[in-house]
Amino acid sequence: MASNIYLVRQRISRLGQIASIFAFATCGGFKGRTEIQVSCPSKGVHDNKTITATFGYPFRLNQASFQAPSGVNVCEVEWKRHVLIGDYSSSAQFYVTFAVFVFLYCMATLLLYLGYTNLYRDSRKLPMADFVVTLIATFLWLVSTSAWAKALTDIKIATGHNIIQELGSCNQIVLCYFGSVTSMGSLNVSVIFGFLNMILWAGNAWFVYKETSLHSPSTTSASHGQGGSPPPSGM
């Protein structure tokens, strides 16, 4: 039974490694841009010109300025002075940094399960420490993923159709229309993997708990019970 538990935990650790890689890679590697179409018929510009703002991890949108086509003065507006709204770096960096630490911890525990199984079984402190860390990690996956999911919702709003309302240069003279924004499917995947990691760690917590003194009697108590006094003769 014990060997089956360790086998399951090894598999969960491997799954945790893979899921954490997908979590920080899909979020930390994202690059996107949003585009608006601008024209000003009163100034002789009848064709729409594309103005672009590029953004990505760690999603400091308030540092992502709009860029006009190279060498073109679109409607006599200095577009570099206009930026996107919001700074979501704290949620994004917390999520990615935590995912990286989880990946490293999974590597360490997998090494412990594979190479030092007897040491782990004979110790009372290691399973308890592992159990506490697992509970903390489960809670932090919930917190970091929820915060990142909320930030992602705000990022979609800040880079979507609401851009036009925030641009002061867009008025009756300078006509602005929302063009497009890069698909954020990979960011949606990062949120999914965040909650998947939380489920994996919650399941792993049960198996770690079964190895602690909270669930199993101590080795000393077990050996004492097995080596107790024999029953009186004649019974």
Side-chain angles (χ1 to χ4, degrees), residues 35-38 48-52 67-69 74:
E35 298 178 347
I36 61 173
Q37 302 295 323
V38 178
N48 289 334
K49 302 296 182 180
T50 301
I51 308 298
T52 304
Q67 301 291 332
V74 180

Side-chain angles (χ1 to χ4, degrees), residues 116-129:
Y116 302 92
T117 304
N118 293 332
L119 176 63
Y120 188 90
R121 288 178 177 176
D122 295 339
S123 174
R124 296 183 60 186
K125 294 182 179 180
L126 283 178
M128 183 60 68

Side-chain angles (χ1 to χ4, degrees), residues 225-235:
Q226 293 176 357
S229 302
S233 60
M235 292 297 290

Side-chain angles (χ1 to χ4, degrees), residues 75-107:
C75 298
E76 300 178 358
V77 175
E78 191 176 354
W79 292 101
K80 290 183 178 181
R81 298 179 58 185
H82 297 279
V83 296
L84 297 174
I85 305 299
D87 183 356
Y88 307 97
S89 58
S90 58
S91 297
Q93 289 178 322
F94 175 42
Y95 178 80
V96 170
T97 302
F98 176 65
V100 172
F101 276 115
V102 167
F103 170 74
L104 297 176
Y105 182 77
C106 285
M107 291 183 62

